[in-house]
C-alpha cells in the first residue's frame, strides 16, 4: 500500500508504472467508495499506461481531515498528490463527485490535465434540500439507513439480484465508509455549482453515462457535455451509476479509443 501526506491529510493511493511517453490515467472515485471500484478497468489498462488511483479524503484508507469539505479541498488534494508523484498532463477519469473533482482540477491546474473522462457526473449534482436530508440521515442513523436506496441508483436490477455476491460486496463498501467523511463530501456536493467553470473547459473531454444511472441520469450528463466545447458523449448499455463495476470492458474500450484520438505528437510523459 502507498500513502502520501498532502495538505492536512494522508492519502492512500496506488501508482502503477507504464510505458514512457504514454499519458498517465488518474482515476477519482465516487461518493461512498474507494479506489477498488476501478479494479476491473485498471487490470485491462495496466501495462499499456501508467495509472494512479487514490482514496479521496474521508474515504477508504485516507485520513478524514477537517470537516465539512468543499470541492476545492478535494481538488487541491488531487493536485498535491499528482505534484508529489511528479505527474503532469494526465488523463483524469472521474466518477460522480470524482468527475467534479476532475473538472475543478482542469480549471485550477491545467498543467496537470491533458484530457478528461467524466463518468456519470455533472457540473451540478442534486439540490441543497436533497443533500441536507442525506446528511441528516447519515448523521442520525448512519450510512446503513440509506444503503438500499443508494444501491438502486448505483446498480441495475440485474446486478442487484440476491445471488450476485459482488452486489453484497459493494454494499459493504458503502456502509463501511466513514459516516463523517461521507457526510462531509455530501456537503461539498451540496455547495458545488461548477457551471461557469465547466463552460470554460477546453481540454479534450469524453462524457460517459450508464443508461440506467439513477444518480446522474443520461440527460443530466448530456447537459454537462453540451457545456464543454467539442466534448464527446457516450451511453453505456446495461449500467447504472458505476459502469466501471457493471460494464468494465465497455468503459475500458471507450477510454482506450478516446486516448487514441489525442494527438500523439503532444502527449506528455508521465
Amino acid at each position: 500500500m502507498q500513502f502520501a501526506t498532502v495538505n492536512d491529510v494522508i492519502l492512500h493511493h496506488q501508482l502503477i508504472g507504464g510505458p514512457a511517453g504514454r499519458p498517465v490515467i488518474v482515476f477519482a472515485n465516487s461518493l461512498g467508495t474507494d479506489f477498488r471500484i476501478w479494479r476491473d478497468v485498471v487490470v485491462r489498462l495496466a501495462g499499456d499506461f501508467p495509472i494512479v488511483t487514490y482514496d479521496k479524503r474521508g474515504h477508504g484508507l485516507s485520513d478524514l481531515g477537517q470537516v465539512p469539505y468543499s470541492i476545492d479541498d478535494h481538488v487541491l488534494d488531487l493536485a498535491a498528490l499528482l505534484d508529489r508523484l511528479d505527474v503532469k498532463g494526465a488523463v483524469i477519469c472521474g466518477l460522480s463527485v470524482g468527475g467534479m473533482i476532475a473538472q475543478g482540477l482542469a480549471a485550477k491546474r491545467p498543467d496537470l490535465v491533458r484530457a478528461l473522462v467524466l463518468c456519470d457526473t455533472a457540473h451540478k449534482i442534486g439540490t441543497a434540500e436533497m443533500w441536507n436530508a442525506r446528511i441528516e440521515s447519515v448523521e442520525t442513523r448512519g450510512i446503513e439507513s440509506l444503503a438500499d436506496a443508494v444501491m438502486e441508483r448505483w446498480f441495475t436490477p440485474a446486478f442487484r439480484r440476491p445471488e450476485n455476491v459482488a452486489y453484497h460486496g459493494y454494499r459493504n463498501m458503502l456502509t463501511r465508509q466513514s459516516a463523517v467523511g461521507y457526510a462531509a463530501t455530501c456537503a461539498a456536493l451540496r455547495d458545488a455549482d461548477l457551471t461557469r467553470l465547466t463552460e470554460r473547459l477546453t481540454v479534450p473531454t469524453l462524457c460517459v453515462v450508464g443508461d440506467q444511472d439513477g444518480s446522474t441520469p443520461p440527460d443530466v450528463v448530456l447537459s454537462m457535455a453540451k457545456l464543454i466545447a467539442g466534448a464527446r458523449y457516450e451511453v453505456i448499455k446495461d449500467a447504472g451509476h458505476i459502469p466501471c463495476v457493471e460494464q468494465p470492458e465497455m468503459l475500458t474500450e471507450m477510454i482506450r479509443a478516446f486516448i487514441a484520438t489525442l494527438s500523439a505528437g503532444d502527449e506528455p510523459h508521465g
Side-chain angles (χ1 to χ4, degrees), residues 184-262:
T185 300
C186 287
L189 285 160
R190 176 195 64 199
D191 299 338
D193 184 345
L194 305 184
T195 305
R196 292 185 178 180
L197 175 155
T198 301
E199 287 176 329
R200 296 194 294 269
L201 293 178
T202 58
V203 296
T205 301
L206 170 65
C207 301
V208 177
V209 63
D211 65 346
Q212 299 176 52
D213 186 336
S215 295
T216 51
D219 61 330
V220 171
V221 178
L222 179 59
S223 69
M224 174 190 63
K226 289 180 177 178
L227 294 177
I228 305 170
R232 298 168 179 242
Y233 171 74
E234 298 284 351
V235 177
I236 297 182
K237 187 179 178 182
D238 300 325
H241 189 56
I242 309 186
C244 50
V245 169
E246 287 198 85
Q247 299 294 340
E249 291 184 4
M250 180 58 69
L251 180 58
T252 302
E253 289 177 10
M254 289 180 175
I255 293 171
R256 284 187 180 277
F258 174 62
I259 292 177
T261 68
L262 303 177

